[in-house]
Amino acid sequence: MKAALPLLLLLAACAPAPARPAVQSFEGSARVLLTVQSYRLTYTEDPATHAIRGTLENRSSGDAFRAEGTLLPGPDGDILTADVSAGDVPRVNATVFGFGIKDLPLKAGAQLSGTIRGDLLRGSLRVNGFRSALTMTRVR
């Protein structure tokens, strides 16, 4: 048993350390209604569950949004789907002539979807029902 202990210690030292999720970043733009908006997506992936968590930053306005979703392997590349939320933002409560708006967030959430092939992410950003084509490239 004493002879096996050094061998076990040697094997334990050679075992790979658990991999820490690597941070992925993509930058690009989308035409939202009439203007081109610049975006940066930064996320980490849990390889066991394919879940992603990160932020989508609108670099044109300076706003940052929380992004959570999945990154699943597909036949033509990795398929990214994420819900984008503004988190705790100010809300509007107003009435005009008896008709009102209650608890309406000033910043809307969105859905981000696309396919990653190599260093290119092509997809769409859907905000308030309007879909905008989105193209991003990986930042190294």
Side-chain angles (χ1 to χ4, degrees):
M1 186 63 169
K2 286 184 179 180
L5 186 59
L7 180 60
L8 289 174
L9 290 174
L10 181 61
L11 288 175
C14 294
R20 200 175 125 214
V23 175
Q24 300 291 318
S25 293
F26 289 85
E27 289 182 353
S29 61
R31 179 173 294 280
V32 179
L33 296 177
L34 299 175
T35 62
V36 174
Q37 300 287 313
S38 176
Y39 291 99
R40 181 181 179 103
L41 174 67
T42 304
Y43 66 86
T44 58
E45 178 193 8
D46 181 347
T49 63
H50 299 285
I52 63 164
R53 291 179 184 256
T55 59
L56 178 68
E57 179 184 353
N58 182 332
R59 301 185 95 183
S60 299
S61 69
D63 295 326
F65 302 89
R66 182 176 51 239
E68 294 182 358
T70 58
L71 184 64
L72 300 171
D76 296 326
D78 293 335
I79 300 167
L80 174 86
T81 54
D83 288 325
V84 179
S85 65
D88 295 330
V89 296
R91 298 180 177 271
V92 174
N93 293 307
T95 59
V96 176
F97 300 119
F99 296 100
I101 298 171
K102 184 174 181 178
D103 207 30
L104 180 70
L106 290 177
K107 295 182 184 175
Q111 289 79 39
L112 173 64
S113 60
T115 303
I116 299 173
R117 290 184 196 110
D119 288 339
L120 189 64
L121 185 154
R122 289 186 187 261
S124 65
L125 184 65
R126 185 178 175 138
V127 182
N128 290 333
F130 295 102
R131 186 178 303 264
S132 303
L134 177 73
T135 303
M136 304 177 100
T137 55
R138 188 181 313 269
V139 178
R140 299 219 181 247

